[in-house]
Amino acid sequence: MAIQRTIAVLGSEGQLGGELVRQLGAAAIPLTRRDCDLGDLSVTRSVLLHLAPAAVINAAGYTQVDRAEQEERECLRINAQAVERLATICGELSCPLVQVSTDYVFGADRQRRSPYRELDPPGPQGVYARSKLAGEQAAATWERHVIVRTCGLYGPRAKPTQSNFVDTMLRLGRERDVLRVVNDQRCTPTYVRNVAQGILFLVEHRHYGLFHVVNGGSTTWYDFAVEIFRLAGITTPIEPISTAQYGARAPRPAYSVLDTTKYHSLGGPPMPPWQCALADYLAMRGMNR
């Protein structure tokens, strides 16, 4: 990474934030919730103006999708209102703002079967999804914005309490006799190492705007789990179930595959197929047989 100037990474203890800090090395200013709580906008402004970074990457946020249905005010405060304030602060600093968003901004089109491009109209379902779209709109009020939509992130955990789908499947595959996994949601789970490389490329080369940055191809959570077990040598049976059978409180998109043509046209680090990315992650963990 050729970036030399300092970049503030909000949410540096998360999976994506931690990976961004690792890739930035000495150029990173890691900011945890203790350092810069998005819930306290006056402190956030004071910290960032004091640090005067060359760019701000917001990898923090409210991510409890189901709980958000009961905590709408808090979810909007962190995912939308705080981003609006970050955009203002970055305007004062005259530095880029990177806002990490989600494939969940889509989902209203139940017939969709082709990957979404950046210009396709969003259709968020549920409080979390609406809050993330509002965060995109807030970030875009500052002209030097980079909005990155991604999906189903997994990577090394900074804390034992953190979780991702891959690690959860590995744990449950050893604890249970059988697993039941949703098989009617199609998307592209993405390795944080790949999306972090993409984000830093966009920042370094000053490519502003909205971008989809995910691994290649698409899968269901059931097929993803099957591949996890195959690569890890786990023989626990997995049964496919429907979203309705799973019974989550918040709605999920039935199809939210993202088209990365715009990103790749810029010549950034290629996003490998999801199967290769998963194999890389498990190999890093020493679990790819």
Side-chain angles (χ1 to χ4, degrees):
M1 175 54 58
I3 293 174
Q4 299 298 322
R5 296 178 299 166
T6 56
I7 294 180
V9 180
L10 301 174
S12 62
E13 288 186 333
Q15 292 175 108
L16 178 57
E19 181 63 26
L20 287 162
V21 169
R22 282 188 286 273
Q23 292 189 22
L24 281 166
I29 304 175
L31 295 173
T32 68
R33 186 174 181 178
R34 296 182 299 276
D35 304 314
C36 191
D37 187 349
L38 289 179
D40 191 331
L41 297 178
S42 62
V43 170
T44 299
R45 180 177 184 274
S46 176
V47 168
L48 291 176
L49 292 183
H50 172 72
L51 293 170
V56 175
I57 301 177
N58 182 25
Y62 183 110
T63 59
Q64 301 300 315
V65 177
D66 290 320
R67 189 185 302 170
E69 297 298 307
Q70 296 177 313
E71 298 181 356
E72 181 172 5
R73 178 177 294 183
E74 178 67 6
C75 181
L76 289 170
R77 186 169 71 96
I78 299 300
N79 288 350
Q81 295 164 13
V83 180
E84 183 178 9
R85 188 59 177 149
L86 282 177
T88 300
I89 295 167
C90 287
E92 293 181 61
L93 291 167
S94 192
C95 76
L97 169 63
V98 179
Q99 174 65 19
V100 179
S101 192
T102 173
D103 62 313
Y104 275 37
V105 300
F106 298 109
D109 184 355
R110 304 296 295 182
Q111 306 305 313
R112 184 80 181 204
R113 291 300 179 268
S114 61
Y116 284 98
R117 297 196 174 200
E118 288 82 354
L119 292 178
D120 286 328
Q125 305 290 291
V127 171
Y128 169 77
R130 292 195 297 271
S131 77
K132 293 300 287 184
L133 180 59
E136 291 185 8
Q137 295 165 341
T141 61
W142 168 229
E143 61 182 0
R144 297 174 67 185
H145 66 269
V146 180
I147 299 167
V148 172
R149 290 177 181 153
T150 191
C151 170
L153 296 181
Y154 61 90
R157 294 174 293 170
K159 299 178 180 179
T161 54
Q162 291 175 342
S163 182
N164 62 55
F165 184 84
V166 178
D167 292 352
T168 298
M169 290 298 103
L170 292 171
R171 175 176 57 81
L172 294 179
R174 291 176 170 83
E175 293 177 354
R176 298 186 182 179
D177 296 328
V178 63
L179 293 185
R180 304 170 76 228
V181 180
V182 170
N183 196 35
D184 58 359
Q185 297 173 23
R186 181 162 290 274
C187 60
T188 309
T190 299
Y191 186 13
V192 293
R193 185 175 72 180
N194 300 135
V195 73
Q197 290 170 340
I199 288 172
L200 296 181
F201 165 80
L202 294 170
V203 172
E204 180 183 4
H205 295 277
R206 301 181 182 181
H207 293 304
Y208 302 130
L210 170 63
F211 301 92
H212 292 170
V213 183
V214 292
N215 284 131
S218 69
T219 187
T220 67
W221 295 109
Y222 167 79
D223 287 332
F224 191 45
V226 169
E227 182 67 0
I228 293 168
F229 281 17
R230 185 186 74 82
L231 291 173
I234 297 174
T235 59
T236 303
I238 308 176
E239 297 177 354
I241 62 171
S242 68
T243 298
Q245 287 175 298
Y246 185 74
R249 176 177 287 118
R252 266 73 167 172
Y255 185 95
S256 58
V257 182
L258 302 179
D259 186 300
T260 59
T261 300
K262 179 181 177 182
Y263 164 78
H264 281 113
S265 71
L266 301 174
M271 295 292 116
W274 68 264
Q275 298 93 331
C276 297
L278 174 62
D280 287 346
Y281 175 60
L282 293 179
M284 181 276 297
R285 290 196 49 176
M287 300 189 66
N288 191 347
R289 62 178 184 177

